[in-house]
Amino acid sequence: MKDKGYIVKRLLIIISVLFITSCSSITPEPPLPAQQKLSWGARKHILSSLQSWQLSGKIAVRTANDSGSASIDWAQKPNQFTISLLGPLGTNGLKLNGKPGQVTMVTAEGKQFTAKSAEQLLAEQWGFNLPVSYLYYWVRGLPAPDSGHTEKMDSWQRLTSLSQRGFRIEYLAYTRTSMIDLPAKMTITSPTLKTKIII
C-alpha cells in the first residue's frame, strides 16, 4: 500500500497541472497593432484635432552654400507657439515665440527681433527659408489646408510623400502615440534647401 506522502505528492502534481492548464486556456487580449488602419478622412480628422503638443528632436538644414543642425523643441498651443533651436550653425541657440500676426525671436545673447512670420525671422537671422507655418501641419502628417498639393499614401493611409508650395516632404518613419501614428523622421526639400527632421 502506497504511503500518504506519495498520495499527497501525486495530488499536488495533478493540482499543479490543472492550474497551469486552466491559466494557459485564458487568451490574453492582443496588443494594439503597430499602425492603426484608418481611412484618410478619419486620420485627417484625428490629426487635425491635435492642436497642442510638445515636440523634441533634431533638425538639419543644407543649402548650396551652407549647412547647419540644431536640437529643436516645439511647444504648440492653439493660438501660440514656442520653438527653441539649440546650436544652429554653431551659435548658442535662439527661441521663437509666435502668435497670429507677430513672432518674436530671442537670441542666446538676449537680442530680440520681431516680424509678422517665423519664416521672415529665420531667413533674416538664421539664413534659411524654413516654412514654419506649413511645418505646423507637416509635422503631424497633414497637408496645409490653404494650398494645393499632391500626396502619396502607404497601405495604412499615412502620408509617404507630399508636394506643396514648392516643397517636397518625404515621410521616412512613423511612431505610434496613444491616439495615432505620427511622423518620426521626415525630409523637406525645395530647389534651395534640404531639411531633415528626426522627432
Side-chain angles (χ1 to χ4, degrees):
M1 185 175 178
K2 297 178 180 178
D3 59 18
K4 291 182 179 180
Y6 175 82
I7 294 172
V8 171
K9 288 180 182 178
R10 294 287 294 177
L11 285 173
L12 287 174
I13 291 171
I14 293 170
I15 291 170
S16 298
V17 170
L18 289 173
F19 178 78
I20 292 170
T21 303
S22 65
C23 287
S24 64
S25 66
I26 299 173
T27 303
E29 291 185 7
L32 288 172
Q35 300 92 11
Q36 185 177 3
K37 194 164 188 178
L38 300 168
S39 69
W40 175 230
R43 187 173 295 278
K44 281 201 298 186
H45 178 74
I46 295 172
L47 292 172
S48 297
S49 70
L50 301 176
Q51 298 183 14
S52 298
W53 69 77
Q54 181 77 36
L55 177 156
S56 296
K58 299 284 187 181
I59 182 170
V61 183
R62 185 174 73 241
T63 69
N65 301 317
D66 214 340
S67 64
S69 62
S71 297
I72 181 171
D73 287 296
W74 185 336
Q76 179 70 46
K77 295 181 179 179
N79 292 312
Q80 65 185 67
F81 66 84
T82 299
I83 299 175
S84 298
L85 296 168
L86 180 61
L89 296 176
T91 66
N92 293 324
L94 53 87
K95 181 178 289 187
L96 295 168
N97 294 299
K99 59 183 180 180
Q102 180 179 327
V103 180
T104 300
M105 174 187 288
V106 181
T107 68
E109 294 77 24
K111 296 179 180 179
Q112 292 192 19
F113 305 90
T114 301
K116 291 184 178 181
S117 71
E119 287 88 342
Q120 180 181 345
L121 284 174
L122 286 175
E124 293 173 354
Q125 305 301 322
W126 197 20
F128 296 128
N129 181 21
L130 201 62
V132 177
S133 59
Y134 285 85
L135 277 176
Y136 170 74
Y137 298 96
W138 295 345
V139 296
R140 287 179 285 168
L142 285 170
D146 62 348
S147 178
H149 63 275
T150 59
E151 60 196 30
K152 290 184 179 179
M153 308 282 184
D154 63 12
S155 60
W156 296 95
Q157 295 298 295
R158 304 173 305 183
L159 285 177
T160 57
S161 67
L162 172 68
S163 296
Q164 189 168 35
R165 295 285 292 187
F167 292 89
R168 181 172 178 82
I169 303 91
E170 300 282 348
Y171 293 91
L172 307 178
Y174 280 84
T175 187
R176 182 170 184 80
T177 69
S178 58
M179 290 183 65
I180 197 168
D181 293 349
L182 291 171
K185 186 184 295 184
M186 56 194 290
T187 60
I188 302 168
T189 307
S190 77
T192 59
L193 88 163
K194 182 173 182 179
T195 303
K196 184 175 183 179
I197 301 175
I198 299 174
I199 302 170

